[in-house]
Amino acid sequence: MTTLADLAELVRAPAALSVPGDVIAGAAAAGALSPRTPALAGASVLLYWAGMAANDWADRRLDAEERPERPIPSGRVTPAAAVGLAAGLTAAGVGLAAAVGGRRAAALAVPLAATIWGYDLLAKNTAAGPAVMAACRGLDVLLGASGGRMTRALPAAATIAAHTWTVTALSRREVTGADATLPMRTLAGTAVVAASAAVAAPRRVAMLPAVLAGWYAARYGAAQAEVVRDPSAGRVRAAVGAGITGLPALQGALTARGGAGLLGVAVAAAAPLGRRLARKVSPT
């Protein structure tokens, strides 16, 4: 019988802590922070969980060989239940975004949902995979900005998208391990991402974005440096986990750069919480 713990593992529940910060950073950048922002963040979490469930459904045969302990190949969740959950979460996420954000939010939630499913079903195992996943995160940031001047959120969206590209590129080597050139490239990308989050801060929070971006770079960068030294599958998985659980620190830096310093700290606080929860339910 399927339990809530099985479903939490299926959707990689702790990794969802890395999601609300997308919407919050986008809203801060666009001057669109409002009472509807938490609901848009909730819609984003629903779409993220939908993508995780769809991912395991699409990978069920591969996981039977490489990760037989996952919920579907182990028999704890049926394929029909997984794809049904993914569809239901998608509908709920798009519906919630439209209900609270109107047409502008729906105009982003629909392509976001389509891009998530496109990644899981078509792009994941192709050269376009990292770029498509990066587009998902970029759209998520813009979803948060949908109530304001979205053009002002484009730099934040690009920064989060670039980070996502590095994590996705690494994740493709979680089972086989990587050659040292891949983590060297992603580490260079992380340095650029951190620098972009630290610059051009409002005067009242001038140091805060740099501090939070430095925290992000230190945590995720150290994990990637370990992969350069030892590009084994275990090290790669650890780096991917660090990239996922460390993302709130980057989102916090971008939120602070948008002028919401205290909120940026609150967003960044999800990073250590995510690391603790990841010890119980794997985020990768």
Side-chain angles (χ1 to χ4, degrees):
M1 181 177 179
T2 300
T3 67
L4 286 177
D6 296 328
L7 296 178
E9 184 179 350
L10 177 72
V11 301
R12 297 165 176 83
L17 287 172
S18 73
V19 177
D22 288 345
V23 169
I24 294 170
L33 286 169
S34 72
R36 75 177 192 160
T37 302
L40 288 175
S44 175
V45 168
L46 292 173
L47 291 173
Y48 182 88
W49 280 341
M52 293 296 100
N55 173 78
D56 271 28
W57 177 79
D59 279 357
R60 62 193 184 280
R61 294 182 179 86
L62 181 62
D63 283 347
E65 299 177 4
E66 297 182 346
R67 297 183 179 186
E69 74 281 0
R70 291 294 300 162
I72 296 177
S74 67
R76 290 177 287 133
V77 177
T78 67
V83 74
L85 179 64
L89 288 169
T90 299
V94 172
L96 178 59
V100 299
R103 292 182 179 178
R104 294 189 74 187
L108 286 158
V110 170
L112 172 57
T115 305
I116 290 169
W117 280 86
Y119 173 81
D120 287 334
L121 300 182
L122 299 172
K124 179 168 52 180
N125 296 318
T126 72
V132 175
M133 181 55 75
C136 290
R137 283 286 189 168
L139 287 168
D140 204 29
V141 174
L142 294 179
L143 176 64
S146 58
R149 297 176 60 185
M150 284 195 290
T151 55
R152 293 175 56 184
L154 289 175
T159 299
I160 296 294
H163 163 82
T164 303
W165 184 93
T166 69
V167 176
T168 308
L170 284 170
S171 73
R172 292 156 70 92
R173 298 292 181 264
E174 285 184 300
V175 175
T176 61
D179 62 84
T181 59
L182 174 60
M184 290 175 67
R185 292 197 302 270
T186 61
L187 184 56
T190 297
V192 173
V193 165
S196 69
V199 300
R203 285 180 296 173
R204 57 177 173 163
V205 289
M207 291 299 298
L208 187 55
V211 169
L212 295 177
W215 180 20
Y216 152 80
R219 167 70 181 169
Y220 184 33
Q224 292 172 87
E226 284 296 314
V227 181
V228 174
R229 184 183 63 82
D230 173 17
S232 63
R235 292 292 186 187
V236 173
R237 284 194 295 273
V240 172
I244 294 171
T245 60
L247 176 55
L250 175 63
Q251 295 162 334
L254 293 169
T255 301
R257 194 179 72 177
L262 290 178
L263 185 56
V265 172
V267 168
L273 177 59
R275 287 197 293 272
R276 286 195 292 271
L277 291 176
R279 295 169 189 162
K280 298 182 178 181
V281 180
S282 173
T284 69

